[in-house]
Amino acid sequence: LDEATQIWLATLAMQVGGTKKTGGGWWDAISVDASGSDTHFVLNSTRQRGRMFAALQSYPEAERLLDVCRQQLILAQKHDAELPDMWPTHLLLLCYTGVKGIGWHRDNGINDGTSDHPVISFSLGNTCDFALKHREDLPERWVRLQSGDVILFGGACRMMLHSVTKVEKGTTPEVLRKVLPRDTRLNFTFRDAPEVLGREDDFRYFGTTRRKEVDGARCKMPG
């Protein structure tokens, strides 16, 4: 992704995701007194990760997002003729505020889509090492994802195991530092999951423990 596209994507993400001061899609509000006068915001997925899952058409400039996603897919199909076509229905928008990696997993939840259509992932901000393998007993391979890099899983590779093994602190490009908070990494993941259209709220906290933590904090409010 070129610099102009990265700046636009990062600006859009901060617009819909918000900040610790303003709240927004990545944040939950917690009131520490019964009146609600003392409220602060916490990330809604883990202590270092904010999560938004929504239909692509619900995002600002949805048609431009679709166009950028499709451009990357068509480019990849020129190098791999067997890569299936895909029209995304949803965008998972993640914000990582630290340098902690992500454990091994497959994108195999119902909200990830049930077909072999590609998952298309944009990485912005800090550089990370991205590891992948077909099976747990196989050696891993890894690639270094810098800001603006795109990775696709589709066809026979759709259910690849993958993880983020390392995040390089302080590697956000200069052009994004006026847009993104310090040491932030963004991930835009486009998915074809028509099965969950209209059910997006069911998956807001899907696979996270943060909901319990937030509810627990609210239960401690006086009164």
Side-chain angles (χ1 to χ4, degrees):
L1 302 172
D2 61 35
E3 286 187 354
T5 301
Q6 291 184 59
I7 293 170
W8 168 67
L9 287 168
T11 302
L12 184 149
M14 296 307 299
Q15 174 189 342
V16 299
T19 69
K20 189 172 184 178
K21 292 182 178 180
T22 64
W26 292 319
W27 303 86
D28 276 325
I30 294 182
S31 297
V32 296
D33 60 35
S35 69
S37 60
D38 188 2
T39 300
H40 67 279
F41 296 99
V42 296
L43 288 167
N44 62 10
S45 180
T46 69
R47 294 184 186 278
Q48 294 187 346
R49 182 177 71 175
R51 183 181 190 278
M52 290 182 61
F53 177 76
L56 179 60
Q57 291 300 317
S58 70
Y59 283 89
E61 301 188 73
E63 291 305 313
R64 186 176 176 187
L65 286 167
L66 173 63
D67 185 56
V68 174
C69 175
R70 290 284 301 172
Q71 287 175 14
Q72 300 306 309
L73 174 60
I74 292 168
L75 180 62
Q77 287 172 325
K78 291 180 179 179
H79 296 275
D80 182 358
E82 296 183 0
L83 190 64
D85 202 18
M86 189 273 265
W87 289 84
T89 60
H90 291 82
L91 171 59
L92 174 64
L93 181 53
L94 299 169
C95 174
Y96 298 91
T97 62
V99 293
K100 186 178 180 181
I102 307 166
W104 288 99
H105 66 284
R106 303 182 194 272
D107 289 351
N108 58 2
I110 187 173
N111 62 314
D112 298 323
T114 59
S115 70
D116 66 350
H117 295 176
V119 170
I120 302 174
S121 176
F122 300 172
S123 186
L124 298 179
N126 276 344
T127 295
C128 69
D129 290 347
F130 189 88
L132 59 163
K133 55 186 175 180
H134 279 287
R135 300 196 316 262
E136 293 183 2
D137 60 332
L138 294 177
E140 67 186 57
R141 299 181 180 183
W142 65 272
V143 294
R144 176 153 293 184
L145 296 179
Q146 297 179 324
S147 188
D149 284 344
V150 178
I151 193 164
L152 299 86
F153 294 138
C157 296
R158 171 60 184 82
M159 293 297 174
M160 289 278 284
L161 280 163
H162 54 282
S163 70
V164 173
T165 59
K166 183 179 180 181
V167 179
E168 295 283 352
K169 186 175 182 179
T171 52
T172 296
E174 188 68 33
V175 295
L176 295 183
R177 292 184 182 180
K178 292 183 179 179
V179 181
L180 298 180
R182 183 182 179 88
D183 281 324
T184 296
R185 188 172 73 85
L186 301 181
N187 182 253
F188 289 69
T189 302
F190 297 85
R191 308 175 186 274
D192 182 18
E195 302 87 354
V196 299
L197 279 169
R199 297 175 51 204
E200 289 76 17
D201 285 349
D202 294 344
F203 302 98
R204 185 182 179 201
Y205 298 99
F206 190 67
T208 74
T209 59
R210 196 58 163 164
R211 175 76 275 163
K212 293 180 180 179
E213 293 181 11
V214 171
D215 285 346
R218 286 177 177 150
C219 288
K220 293 178 183 178
M221 289 169 52

